């Protein structure tokens, strides 16, 4: 009897995983539906291209679009130019600055005078 109870143990875990997957699918569908109502065709194409090239940045733009829509900051469908401006703002907020530091002292250690020919 115990073996039968042990085999049914993974079932609740599988049901929970299935429910979680279904819920994630529903959220993704709702998000896509909302974005398709917010953007016009050209802007949708641009966003899908961004999602292919840089998925993380596309998710940030999508989140910004949904937040703007929920706050009532959008009137009508956003054009391609409006999406470009939003993408530039998101890019400026997430832009990383890199600095290159050159240590000249290391170059002095590698001298040609040390070679004995």
């Amino acid at each position: 009897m115990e073996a039968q109870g042990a085999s049914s143990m993974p079932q609740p875990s599988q049901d929970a995983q299935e429910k979680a997957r279904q819920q994630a699918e529903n959220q993704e569908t709702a998000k896509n539906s909302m974005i398709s109502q917010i953007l016009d065709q050209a802007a949708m194409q641009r966003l899908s291209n961004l999602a292919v090239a840089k998925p993380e940045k596309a998710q940030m733009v999508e989140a910004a679009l949904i937040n703007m829509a929920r706050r009532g900051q959008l009137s009508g469908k956003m054009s391609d130019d409006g999406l470009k401006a939003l993408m530039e703002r998101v890019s400026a907020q997430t832009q990383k600055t890199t600095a290159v530091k050159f240590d000249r002292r290391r170059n002095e250690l590698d001298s040609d005078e040390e070679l004995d020919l």
Side-chain angles (χ1 to χ4, degrees), residues 53-66:
K54 297 183 179 182
E56 303 86 20
K57 195 167 281 195
Q59 288 175 351
M60 293 170 58
V61 170
E62 289 171 352
L65 282 169
I66 290 171

Side-chain angles (χ1 to χ4, degrees), residues 3-20:
Q4 186 180 19
S7 66
S8 65
M9 190 62 140
Q11 188 65 28
S13 177
Q14 289 175 351
D15 288 343
Q17 288 176 352
E18 180 65 25
K19 286 180 183 179

Side-chain angles (χ1 to χ4, degrees), residues 4-82:
Q4 186 180 19
S7 66
S8 65
M9 190 62 140
Q11 188 65 28
S13 177
Q14 289 175 351
D15 288 343
Q17 288 176 352
E18 180 65 25
K19 286 180 183 179
R21 187 189 61 76
Q22 187 66 30
Q23 186 178 13
E25 262 184 40
N26 291 343
Q27 288 176 347
E28 186 71 20
T29 303
K31 180 182 76 166
N32 289 339
S33 173
M34 184 178 250
I35 289 174
S36 68
Q37 292 174 2
I38 295 170
L39 300 176
D40 66 3
Q41 277 302 102
M44 280 292 295
Q45 183 64 38
R46 183 172 298 279
L47 185 60
S48 65
N49 290 343
L50 179 66
V52 170
K54 297 183 179 182
E56 303 86 20
K57 195 167 281 195
Q59 288 175 351
M60 293 170 58
V61 170
E62 289 171 352
L65 282 169
I66 290 171
N67 285 336
M68 289 172 69
R70 286 183 179 158
R71 292 184 189 140
Q73 294 175 340
L74 299 176
S75 58
K77 288 194 171 203
M78 182 179 276
S79 67
D80 188 41
D81 292 332

Side-chain angles (χ1 to χ4, degrees), residues 75-92:
S75 58
K77 288 194 171 203
M78 182 179 276
S79 67
D80 188 41
D81 292 332
L83 182 63
K84 284 182 193 176
L86 178 64
M87 288 169 56
E88 287 175 7
R89 280 186 279 164
V90 168
S91 181

